[in-house]
Amino acid sequence: MSKYLLVAVGGGLAVGAVKYIRNASKKLDPSQHVLIVGGGYAGIRLAKQLKGKGSYTLVDPKDAFHHNMASLRAAVVPGFSNKTFIPYKPTFGNNFVQETVKDIDVEKNTVTLGNGETLSFTDLVLATGSSGPFPGKCVHTCGSSSKLAQLYEDFALEVKEAKQIVIVGGGAVGVELSGEIAGDYPDKEVTIVHNSDVIVSSALEQAARDQILEKLKAKNVKVIFGEKVSNLSDLPLNKHVSDGINVTTSSGKELVADLVVPCFGSSTNSGAYSKALSGSMNQRGQLKVNDYLQVEGQDRIFAIGDCNDFPVTKLALEAQQQGSKTFENLVHLGKNEDLEPYKKDTFRMVVPIGRDAGVCQNGTRVMGDFLAKMIKAKDVFVKVMWKEMDQPVPKN
């Protein structure tokens, strides 16, 4: 196990160190100004690499980066939510603008903000991400991180009060949330209703999916496959109801719950570009990109992370790698050099099931509890992300 840990973690650190040294001498041309729309995992990685390397602006409607990978722990553990929101200003200073981008003028190289102001750019990077139901995703229309954190604190109390919890959706979010709840509250009844026969993701090896099911069973989490909740639109969601909630599945099964949590579905945050770049969007609202992550038909506009259609599993690590490659290509653009194609990283996924269990996959290699705990489950990358933002982790 220790050998695999060194390969997975030590190897990643070594690669990161080499890239850092290589990028230290890379700078934008003085004529360039990069505008980044969206401060998620892809956006902040790019903005961090641009610090001290040239002119840039980061725009996001929130006042803080939401460390989404830790949101499910914040949904269960009272007092944890403040560790999942990392303020932009201490990291990016006046390079950060808290606003919403309403439109883009590709002819004038400007964007229009929600307050009516315009910002100019030579290079535009769209990193708008995706949205989904709370608590897996936060409410992107709310700009106050303190209010967003309070939503998680309130939800954690709903979980604490509940005794019979139905989680709708057996993807990564539903499975991780069930593990967090079952790990901290082993006496609660937790049931996942999943409309597929494949737990978490088809990108995982069958051995990984089998281990996940075994670990859920060990924590007394029940999984109902191939079913939808047919009366979901009539149910109170994310609220503890002491009198009980009657949940009906598509096959007619009746479940009794006192808390129902939606953990399925996502949509692309396309509002910033849906008018100006509608011809370059797919049906999901993602922007079509080439091998260099440039938007179809645009030489100086890139799309990275969840908002592009690059054929990879949409994970935070992949978004960060796309941010790093885009930094390199922006430097190449300023020097009139050939761009480097983005090559998807080795598939890596960690699915924690509570703090003491989980499954890891690196390429096709499947590993279990020890690595899942050491890599992610222990602190869900909180220290890593605060370090990425050059800020100390809050003590409470």
Side-chain angles (χ1 to χ4, degrees), residues 121-134:
F121 62 85
T122 59
D123 303 278
L124 178 64
V125 182
L126 297 163
T128 54
S130 60
S131 296
F134 182 87

Side-chain angles (χ1 to χ4, degrees), residues 361-378:
Q361 185 171 316
N362 183 22
T364 59
R365 185 187 296 277
V366 177
M367 296 157 281
D369 294 340
F370 178 73
L371 279 181
K373 179 180 178 180
M374 295 301 294
I375 295 174
K376 184 178 180 182
K378 190 175 181 179

Side-chain angles (χ1 to χ4, degrees), residues 323-337:
S324 295
K325 178 56 69 177
T326 300
F327 165 72
E328 296 177 8
N329 279 332
L330 287 166
V331 173
H332 289 317
L333 275 176
K335 296 179 179 180
N336 293 316
E337 297 173 343

Side-chain angles (χ1 to χ4, degrees), residues 41-42 45 315-325 385 388:
Y41 291 100
R45 171 59 61 87
L315 299 171
L317 177 61
E318 196 72 45
Q320 291 172 321
Q321 297 291 353
Q322 290 185 18
S324 295
K325 178 56 69 177
M385 292 313 303
E388 171 119 345

Side-chain angles (χ1 to χ4, degrees), residues 65-245:
F65 163 72
H66 182 216
H67 177 33
N68 192 67
M69 285 189 285
S71 63
L72 301 175
R73 185 152 300 168
V76 176
V77 180
F80 191 83
S81 63
N82 67 324
K83 297 180 180 180
T84 67
F85 290 95
I86 310 176
Y88 292 118
K89 275 290 185 182
T91 302
F92 302 114
N94 292 331
N95 295 95
F96 169 66
V97 174
Q98 185 182 356
E99 257 299 345
T100 300
V101 171
K102 293 294 186 182
D103 201 4
I104 302 167
D105 189 325
V106 296
E107 300 297 329
K108 295 181 180 179
N109 284 0
T110 61
V111 301
T112 301
L113 303 180
N115 61 9
E117 295 181 6
T118 60
L119 297 176
S120 300
F121 62 85
T122 59
D123 303 278
L124 178 64
V125 182
L126 297 163
T128 54
S130 60
S131 296
F134 182 87
K137 294 275 192 176
C138 72
V139 184
H140 285 272
T141 54
C142 178
S144 168
S145 58
S146 60
K147 291 181 179 179
L148 290 169
Q150 189 59 49
L151 291 177
Y152 282 95
E153 294 298 316
D154 294 343
F155 182 79
L157 295 178
E158 303 286 346
V159 171
K160 184 177 180 179
E161 291 295 318
K163 296 179 180 179
Q164 297 171 296
I165 302 171
V166 169
I167 294 172
V168 186
V173 175
V175 168
E176 288 189 32
L177 179 59
S178 70
E180 292 289 338
I181 295 172
D184 281 16
Y185 300 105
D187 294 333
K188 298 185 187 297
E189 293 181 18
V190 181
T191 302
I192 297 172
V193 180
H194 189 38
N195 69 347
S196 169
D197 293 327
V198 177
I199 198 76
V200 180
S201 171
S202 59
L204 289 172
E205 297 291 310
Q206 185 62 50
R209 298 199 297 269
D210 290 344
Q211 284 193 34
I212 289 169
L213 288 174
E214 289 173 6
K215 295 174 193 301
L216 289 173
K217 184 177 180 180
K219 290 186 180 294
N220 296 315
V221 175
K222 299 176 183 177
V223 183
I224 299 174
F225 284 103
E227 298 264 21
K228 295 182 179 181
V229 174
S230 58
N231 64 335
L232 187 66
S233 61
D234 300 325
L235 303 181
L237 303 177
N238 295 335
K239 292 290 183 182
H240 172 245
V241 179
S242 58
D243 292 338
I245 303 169

Side-chain angles (χ1 to χ4, degrees), residues 32-44:
Q32 288 177 278
H33 180 77
V34 177
L35 181 60
I36 308 165
V37 181
Y41 291 100
I44 65 163

